[in-house]
Amino acid sequence: MSKIKVLNEHLKNMIAAGEVVERPAGVVKELVENSIDADSHKIEVHLQNGGLDTIEVRDDGCGMDKKDATAAFGRHATSKIEFDQDLWNIHTMGFRGEALPSIASVSKLEMYTSDGIDQTKVVIEYGQIKEVKPVGCNQGTTIKVQGLFYKTPARLKHLKSANNELTTIIDLLSKLALAHPDIAFKLFDNDKLKLQTNGSNNLKETIMSIYGLETAKKAIDFKCNDFDFEVDGCIISPVITRSSKQYINIFINSRVIKSFLLTNSVIDGYKQYIMDNRYPIVIINIKADYQLIDVNVHPSKWEVRLSKERQLASLIKDNIEKTLAKAYHPSDLLLKDNPLNENSLPKKQNEKTQIVQQTLLDRDDKEEEKIIDRFVYLCQYHGKYILASDEDNLYIIDQHAAQERCMYEDIQKQIENKEIKTQLLLVPLLIESTISTVNRIDEINEKLSCINLNFEQFSSTTLLLREVPYFFENIDEIDFLNHLIEEVLSDKSMSVLEIRKEKIASLACHSSVRFNHYLSVEESKKLLARLSNCKQPFNCPHGRPTMISISDKQLFKEFKRG
Ligand code: ADP
Ligand code: MG
């Protein structure tokens, strides 16, 4: 007996739903992309419980007439392509005609749509049309989705917590908003406004709304082109970096895409300016002939196949290098009054200093194991080094590395002994961050309670801190907090207390006193005393030497007296 049957429409839609709308964020993506395709100027997303209970998307786009209002729910029903050749020339976000029927097959869906003439309401429950009738509504479309996956329990079980879903949706809408600065987006969760852009078509204003004022201030205009591609947008100064690649936004013809090759070309362009494992913030749109782009690679359309991708990658890399070189000399970043100094150290050291250090180090080989008893302070050199001596050595101490070492051991001890005392600030600290980060404030507070930090939300992109540990006195607190928050959210390392202790201490050091800050004689002496009390005074926590020494014997030899 033959066994093969053609699946019924409902089952086909449910299967497609598995691919297209795995999670609330998938539904939001499809609905918002439809609104973008409908030439909307305003798009609002209203969620209840991170989209687990309700997802509603409202737009002021072209809307649908009475006939299309139901036709839209037919499988592979689309207004966006018609002929074979259209598939190679896709100007819209959607084209598969799968999203609406798929979503309607796994939820209760209500739609209100008007093209300016007809005004129609459609209700569909788990694939069955329940109601179609005329109704009063403005031009545009509102689609409300509830009870998502209620009838597909296996999928329901895999949905993460409401806040998790919300974070994913915020990240998604952030990208869509950056790709479409001409559209005003709003996102609400449980009636609270979470994200808002003004639709002024000014990319820097959109960057400010999404990534905050500090990032927007550091945005550099970026433009380049060759015969096939035209790239423009903003690249953010390398003084601001992130621990994840997520902030490298690449759009092709305003479509949010993921491309390993292009992301790496951006990272390569920044290479001289950014430490390993840190990533830049970039927002660029690539205009290309639609025929060069194959969007029909994956149902969710995150990935595209692009002809001449390598050519595009070098175009991007070379021009980021050029743009940054025009804006900065690598050594600028070292000396500029720049809160993220450590983090933006250029990798190429000044060759001359490197050679001098090396020669001194070579001579010092045999002396390495010696223990320091007591330094006598001599003087400060160029605001970077302290010269000191003991009975038979001259020391050149790298002030910055020495401070890092002292801070590191000190903070470690405090965390270990749970003796972190805090002080109330006269003026609370404001930490400019991203909407997505601010949304995870509870998680941040939970993980950082170990050092008595408790953030409050100040605005959608700003956190506020009223009380800080005493060890903050010596560090660039904003830089430190930014890094710390990122570490906590990246989830990689902050679980075990031991790692936490090292991590926090090491981060704090990163943010400690700047290289070119002159210490007073008193401060220098205090630093020498602290250093000599360290368990391991010879290296900073990141492995660089804190000092080099020249023995009397060596001096004697150098001056040909031996
Ligand atoms: P696709 O976007 O791939 O065409 P969808 O299933 O997402 O497929 O949508 C089907 C059709 O419904 C679209 O082609 C469009 O004509 C219509 N449509 C969907 N959403 C909207 C909207 N917000 N405004 C106007 N028309 C819409
Ligand atoms: Mg669509």
Side-chain angles (χ1 to χ4, degrees):
M1 196 177 70
S2 49
K3 294 178 186 159
I4 296 176
K5 295 185 189 71
V6 174
L7 297 178
N8 71 39
E9 283 303 295
H10 182 55
L11 204 48
K12 279 188 211 164
N13 288 332
M14 284 180 68
I15 290 169
E19 286 181 316
V20 186
V21 290
E22 300 182 292
R23 289 172 58 176
V27 175
V28 173
K29 179 172 188 287
E30 292 298 333
L31 295 181
V32 171
E33 284 188 346
N34 279 345
S35 298
I36 294 171
D37 286 343
D39 289 327
S40 307
H41 299 294
K42 279 191 210 153
I43 301 176
E44 286 188 14
V45 180
H46 294 255
L47 308 172
Q48 294 295 331
N49 238 345
L52 294 178
D53 292 348
T54 309
I55 298 167
E56 187 173 329
V57 176
R58 306 174 189 165
D59 70 46
D60 63 351
C62 64
M64 288 172 259
D65 67 13
K66 198 173 137 216
K67 192 162 155 253
D68 281 356
T70 43
F73 293 94
R75 198 165 146 72
H76 297 306
T78 179
S79 56
K80 299 172 192 174
I81 54 175
E82 190 171 358
F83 306 108
D84 288 5
Q85 65 267 28
D86 294 345
L87 202 49
W88 310 111
N89 197 6
I90 287 179
H91 291 239
T92 47
M93 300 292 130
F95 58 90
R96 301 170 66 101
E98 271 181 334
L100 288 189
S102 304
I103 296 167
S105 73
V106 291
S107 69
K108 290 185 186 173
L109 185 149
E110 261 172 54
M111 179 173 83
Y112 302 81
T113 189
S114 167
D115 61 350
I117 301 166
D118 295 349
Q119 300 173 321
T120 315
K121 176 182 180 186
V122 177
V123 179
I124 302 185
E125 289 182 9
Y126 302 101
Q128 289 195 322
I129 297 192
K130 295 279 176 189
E131 192 180 333
V132 183
K133 66 171 192 195
V135 72
C137 62
N138 292 335
Q139 165 143 11
T141 304
T142 293
I143 293 181
K144 186 171 172 183
V145 175
Q146 289 179 298
L148 195 60
F149 302 122
Y150 187 70
K151 291 212 170 159
T152 20
R155 183 75 66 163
L156 191 63
K157 233 171 68 185
H158 284 107
L159 290 177
K160 309 225 173 86
S161 73
N163 206 43
N164 232 312
E165 296 301 330
L166 177 61
T167 303
T168 315
I169 292 171
I170 288 176
D171 289 342
L172 166 79
L173 268 194
S174 299
K175 283 182 176 286
L176 287 170
L178 286 165
H180 299 274
D182 55 332
I183 299 177
F185 286 91
K186 275 189 188 164
L187 168 69
F188 296 85
D189 182 58
N190 298 340
D191 304 316
K192 267 199 242 135
L193 183 64
K194 292 287 172 179
L195 175 154
Q196 178 173 22
T197 62
N198 64 10
S200 65
N201 205 16
N202 177 328
L203 181 58
K204 282 188 187 157
E205 286 178 17
T206 314
I207 293 174
M208 188 179 81
S209 312
I210 304 284
Y211 292 149
L213 181 64
E214 284 311 306
T215 303
K217 275 199 215 151
K218 297 274 189 305
I220 308 166
D221 289 322
F222 181 76
K223 243 186 183 31
C224 62
N225 67 288
D226 65 10
F227 195 70
D228 297 294
F229 302 104
E230 207 181 302
V231 187
D232 81 305
C234 285
I235 64 175
I236 309 298
S237 154
V239 297
I240 303 183
T241 60
R242 295 279 181 263
S243 65
S244 113
K245 296 181 194 175
Q246 193 195 319
Y247 300 85
I248 302 177
N249 295 279
I250 301 175
F251 313 129
I252 298 192
N253 295 336
S254 302
R255 180 189 297 282
V256 179
I257 57 137
K258 289 180 185 162
S259 158
F260 183 74
L261 195 69
L262 298 182
T263 303
N264 276 349
S265 75
V266 170
I267 297 170
D268 280 351
Y270 272 87
K271 208 164 204 129
Q272 277 208 52
Y273 299 87
I274 294 188
M275 304 226 301
D276 287 346
N277 299 321
R278 304 290 308 172
Y279 303 98
I281 305 175
V282 165
I283 304 96
I284 51 174
N285 181 39
I286 297 148
K287 286 192 199 126
D289 192 325
Y290 289 91
Q291 317 240 353
L292 289 178
I293 309 156
D294 180 2
V295 200
N296 193 18
V297 178
H298 191 268
S300 69
K301 298 169 266 130
W302 281 117
E303 283 161 50
V304 295
R305 209 170 285 130
L306 190 68
S307 315
K308 308 194 186 183
E309 197 176 5
R310 282 188 187 280
Q311 171 192 322
L312 176 60
S314 350
L315 178 74
I316 293 175
K317 172 183 168 268
D318 294 350
N319 281 283
I320 288 184
E321 268 174 5
K322 265 191 224 157
T323 308
L324 291 177
K326 235 188 261 166
Y328 304 98
H329 185 276
S331 60
D332 285 353
L333 292 171
L334 188 63
L335 298 175
K336 253 195 196 143
D337 183 23
N338 145 14
L340 299 174
N341 205 341
E342 226 352 86
N343 154 37
S344 50
L345 276 180
K347 283 186 198 150
K348 281 187 194 152
Q349 268 193 13
N350 180 329
E351 257 172 51
K352 221 154 104 197
T353 44
Q354 216 170 22
I355 293 166
V356 176
Q357 280 178 0
Q358 200 49 51
T359 351
L360 287 168
L361 279 175
D362 288 347
R363 290 178 195 154
D364 198 34
D365 275 354
K366 301 130 259 157
E367 308 274 335
E368 210 154 48
E369 288 304 303
K370 79 176 294 306
I371 303 295
I372 309 150
D373 330 315
R374 205 159 58 88
F375 291 116
V376 177
Y377 171 81
L378 299 175
C379 66
Q380 209 186 26
Y381 179 66
H382 283 188
K384 295 176 185 144
Y385 308 101
I386 299 169
L387 302 196
S389 65
D390 65 8
E391 276 184 6
D392 31 41
N393 292 283
L394 171 69
Y395 294 94
I396 303 171
I397 293 154
D398 178 331
Q399 171 190 308
H400 187 74
Q403 276 168 321
E404 286 199 355
R405 165 52 61 183
C406 296
M407 286 264 296
Y408 180 73
E409 294 201 6
D410 197 44
I411 297 170
Q412 268 201 332
K413 217 188 305 162
Q414 288 181 36
I415 298 174
E416 204 165 358
N417 301 339
K418 298 207 168 69
E419 56 184 22
I420 294 182
K421 296 218 172 60
T422 55
Q423 58 181 348
L424 208 59
L425 298 167
L426 278 178
V427 184
L429 281 177
L430 291 179
I431 301 109
E432 275 289 337
S433 190
T434 63
I435 295 177
S436 166
T437 303
V438 172
N439 181 51
R440 295 171 73 180
I441 185 168
D442 293 341
E443 197 180 334
I444 298 170
N445 281 338
E446 190 191 317
K447 288 193 175 156
L448 291 179
S449 61
C450 66
I451 53 168
N452 299 341
L453 288 181
N454 185 41
F455 294 92
E456 293 163 39
Q457 177 164 357
F458 181 73
S459 78
S460 60
T461 58
T462 316
L463 295 167
L464 179 144
L465 199 59
R466 297 181 194 278
E467 216 172 322
V468 297
Y470 272 103
F471 70 74
F472 270 49
E473 246 171 26
N474 299 314
I475 68 179
D476 181 336
E477 59 286 85
I478 300 289
D479 174 37
F480 170 65
L481 289 168
N482 272 320
H483 277 83
L484 195 60
I485 290 169
E486 269 192 74
E487 277 299 328
V488 165
L489 294 183
S490 73
D491 248 344
K492 276 177 282 182
S493 52
M494 300 298 280
S495 43
V496 195
L497 181 72
E498 191 58 25
I499 304 172
R500 189 181 287 172
K501 186 180 82 184
E502 306 234 323
K503 202 82 216 179
I504 292 173
S506 144
L507 271 175
C509 295
H510 249 284
S511 313
S512 61
V513 182
R514 291 202 250 290
F515 200 48
N516 59 341
H517 165 79
Y518 278 81
L519 291 184
S520 68
V521 174
E522 273 322 297
E523 285 172 324
S524 300
K525 285 183 177 168
K526 237 196 237 165
L527 179 61
L528 291 179
R530 279 173 79 197
L531 186 65
S532 56
N533 281 328
C534 280
K535 279 192 219 152
Q536 204 295 55
F538 299 103
N539 291 92
C540 82
H542 313 101
R544 281 173 305 208
T546 52
M547 67 182 91
I548 50 185
S549 68
I550 308 171
S551 67
D552 278 356
K553 242 193 278 166
Q554 279 172 324
L555 280 177
F556 209 69
K557 250 198 311 194
E558 289 296 329
F559 292 112
K560 314 283 181 217
R561 290 182 180 273

